[in-house]
Amino acid sequence: MTDIDAGAGIPEQAPEGPGIRILAQFVRDFSFENPRAPDALRAANAAQPQIDLGVEMNARGREDGLFEVDLKLSARAARDDGPLFVVELLYGGVFQIAGVAAEDVEPVLLIECPRYLFPFARRIIADITAEGGFPPFLLDPIDFAGVYAARKEQAQQIGHA
């Protein structure tokens, strides 16, 4: 039998690094429209629809030191003969952020936190489109860093105008 020291090789106190904890997730607002059902579902025209996708991220601090982050996803599918469906989802989360420098909090809230929320929001949209009679609409992964950078650039251009 071998004696193993459970504490061997483990530092007494691990260094604290940046941390993000999701304390709650929720649907804040949700809308699904299927304006041409059931005719659009059995249309002979099987052309691929044109999909317009919108992505917005917002964050705000709370009095208790936590942060609320909202991820708004909207998708509109249409063919030449009209709209097929419109879905809008405002999915939120409450986050605890620790060990992050003040100048890095905004990017964490608007890039990293939406990355945590996205798979759940994606699933809701896929489920509702399937329930609406369409094939599940699976959103492609979103480059939240790119969306954030574009938003910052747009804000700077407006500020210089």
Side-chain angles (χ1 to χ4, degrees):
M1 186 167 184
T2 306
D3 288 291
I4 299 175
D5 183 0
I10 299 175
E12 287 184 23
Q13 187 168 354
E16 284 290 319
I20 301 171
R21 285 187 59 208
I22 304 173
L23 303 178
Q25 294 181 170
F26 47 89
V27 173
R28 189 180 300 273
D29 192 19
F30 183 61
S31 172
F32 177 75
E33 298 174 29
N34 192 354
R36 296 186 22 229
D39 296 332
L41 303 176
R42 46 191 174 118
N45 178 3
Q48 287 285 46
Q50 173 67 35
I51 307 277
D52 294 321
L53 181 64
V55 178
E56 293 179 37
M57 298 96 60
N58 291 299
R60 64 192 156 284
R62 297 168 26 129
E63 290 180 13
D64 57 8
L66 302 175
F67 297 90
E68 286 185 39
V69 176
D70 288 332
L71 173 60
K72 182 178 182 181
L73 299 173
S74 59
R76 182 179 192 279
R79 290 191 183 122
D80 291 338
D81 56 348
L84 295 174
F85 67 80
V86 179
V87 62
E88 292 180 355
L89 173 63
L90 184 57
Y91 194 76
V94 176
F95 291 83
Q96 180 181 39
I97 309 294
V100 174
E103 63 271 9
D104 295 330
V105 170
E106 183 182 271
V108 166
L109 291 172
L110 297 177
I111 297 171
E112 297 306 323
C113 293
R115 282 184 184 154
Y116 285 108
L117 297 175
F118 178 75
F120 301 96
R122 179 182 193 241
R123 172 71 185 267
I124 291 168
I125 290 174
D127 287 349
I128 195 61
T129 54
E131 291 294 327
F134 299 98
F137 178 59
L138 296 172
L139 293 167
D140 288 334
I142 295 172
D143 176 10
F144 290 105
V147 173
Y148 175 76
R151 180 175 159 177
K152 292 292 276 187
E153 183 178 320
Q154 182 181 26
Q156 286 176 350
Q157 289 177 353
I158 291 171
H160 289 97

